[in-house]
Amino acid sequence: MPLTRLPNRFFVLLALLITLAVAACTGPENVYIADEDDNGQSVTMSVGDMLQLMLAENPTTGYTWAIVTNDEGVLALSGEPAYEVESSAIGAGGTKTFMFQAVAPGTSVLQMVNAQQWETPVEPAETFTLTIQVVE
């Protein structure tokens, strides 16, 4: 094999590896970010898109956010919600982040309550509703 051909093959192989690495790292096409300001709103997403919902929460009071209604055949919860505290102060609140993925065309009305979940009946301190329309 001539020495002049080796660099060409090396660059072709390198380009192929880079292309495969980039393809493997690509995430959803769109990530929609929602918070308390989006309560009562509607959003249209495509299959494969993600919804990041961030809601203020203070679990030290016993009040936590929970999903009341959601069509998981349209909008699936992706993993466990994450909680990030605002400060190191005792009793400080923070933000709970839910990740959802649009998995099929349709409509889901996502309803959440911030309540002491052990109470019966549950009396929420806050509610959150977001209507999600998922298209192809």
Side-chain angles (χ1 to χ4, degrees):
M1 166 171 33
L3 290 176
T4 58
R5 303 274 297 150
L6 182 59
N8 289 339
R9 288 184 181 175
F10 172 76
F11 288 117
V12 169
L13 180 61
L14 182 61
L16 178 62
L17 289 174
I18 291 171
T19 302
L20 289 173
V22 169
C25 294
T26 58
E29 188 170 321
N30 295 304
V31 177
Y32 295 85
I33 299 173
D35 60 20
E36 287 94 347
D37 294 336
D38 297 299
N39 190 13
Q41 300 297 312
S42 297
V43 64
T44 300
M45 302 171 59
S46 296
V47 172
D49 289 349
M50 299 292 291
L51 170 68
Q52 179 180 353
L53 175 58
M54 300 180 301
L55 299 170
E57 179 181 273
N58 190 341
T60 64
T61 64
Y63 285 85
T64 58
W65 283 101
I67 300 168
V68 176
T69 61
N70 177 42
D71 184 346
E72 291 217 1
V74 175
L75 187 72
L77 183 62
S78 180
E80 289 296 314
Y83 180 76
E84 185 175 336
V85 69
E86 289 177 0
S87 76
S88 60
I90 294 173
T95 302
K96 191 169 217 176
T97 302
F98 296 84
M99 293 297 294
F100 297 91
Q101 184 169 24
V103 293
T107 301
S108 179
V109 178
L110 176 62
Q111 293 181 322
M112 314 273 296
V113 294
N114 187 9
Q116 294 176 322
Q117 304 302 325
W118 65 85
E119 293 290 328
T120 312
V122 173
E123 288 294 326
E126 298 175 83
T127 61
F128 179 88
T129 303
L130 185 65
T131 302
I132 298 95
Q133 176 73 41
V134 178
V135 297
E136 285 288 334

